[in-house]
Amino acid sequence: MPASQIPEKLVNFRAYGGTGAVEFLGLTDVELPKFEAMTDTIHGAGIAGEYDSPVMGHFKSMVVKLSLRTPTAAALSLLAPVLHRLDIRGSIQILDPRLGILITQPLRVEVTGEVKGLEPGKLEPGKPLATTCEIEVSKLSLSLAGVQIVELDKFNMIFRVNGMDYLKSVRTDMGGT
């Protein structure tokens, strides 16, 4: 994206799940997980105090939260005790002040994980049920304009940012590829 362009907001998105992540999950808000590194406190001779050292490419528990207005068959099917895949596709609005126009850029978030909890909601006439679902992330990919920017795959020891695989040497050191 040229420096003169200003990314403004998410125009809208849709969330898909189910087999092949092609079933519309319903009207939902999605809260993406925080990337919080696992750390170990380092201290000892030659260091003036201590510091928390992040473990390369390792992250604490990560949860994606879905908030749906009403349950759908696709959303309730997430209760099956298997790894589920979500495909969240959105459009980001960008202002190009040089040209005086608004343009859009695709956003894609792919998540694989198991459901930690699903609350069908509250029954109240004329109101949304407020269905919620929490998915423990084992794999997450973030792409902008068709280019994968971040990929985390906890089970396969992959952590890529802008194409650089920060765990490749670790996999090699452990006898893998």
Side-chain angles (χ1 to χ4, degrees):
M1 173 183 320
S4 64
Q5 292 181 346
I6 302 167
E8 291 186 332
K9 65 189 87 161
L10 180 69
V11 177
N12 214 327
F13 74 96
R14 286 191 177 157
Y16 302 92
T19 306
V22 295
E23 296 177 45
F24 179 60
L25 290 176
L27 299 178
T28 185
D29 291 329
V30 178
E31 185 178 330
L32 298 177
K34 177 180 179 180
F35 283 81
E36 185 176 1
M38 293 175 58
T39 61
D40 183 46
T41 301
I42 306 298
H43 58 89
I47 298 175
E50 61 182 32
Y51 68 96
D52 284 344
S53 171
V55 180
M56 183 186 340
H58 287 57
F59 296 90
K60 293 181 179 182
S61 173
M62 299 170 69
V63 176
V64 168
K65 297 176 184 175
L66 304 174
S67 299
L68 296 105
R69 291 186 58 81
T70 62
T72 62
L76 294 174
S77 295
L78 294 173
L79 275 172
V82 298
L83 284 175
H84 292 278
R85 189 170 153 259
L86 302 180
D87 190 359
I88 303 161
R89 293 177 176 253
S91 180
I92 295 174
Q93 177 177 307
I94 299 169
L95 172 64
D96 189 327
R98 190 175 51 82
L99 299 176
I101 61 172
L102 292 173
I103 57 176
T104 63
Q105 177 184 69
L107 165 71
R108 185 173 186 185
V109 180
E110 297 173 276
V111 175
T112 302
E114 289 183 85
V115 169
K116 287 178 63 168
L118 191 145
E119 186 176 333
K122 177 181 176 184
L123 299 173
E124 187 176 353
K127 301 288 183 182
L129 275 74
T131 302
T132 59
C133 180
E134 291 188 349
I135 298 172
E136 177 66 31
V137 174
S138 59
K139 185 176 182 180
L140 178 71
S141 172
L142 299 167
S143 301
L144 290 171
V147 177
Q148 185 180 68
I149 307 298
V150 176
E151 178 186 14
L152 172 63
D153 186 338
K154 290 184 174 186
F155 295 144
N156 292 303
M157 293 282 292
I158 296 170
F159 179 56
R160 288 189 183 103
V161 178
N162 292 321
M164 174 69 175
D165 186 347
Y166 290 94
L167 290 177
K168 183 176 182 178
S169 64
V170 175
R171 291 191 308 273
T172 300
D173 293 346
M174 296 183 339
T177 55

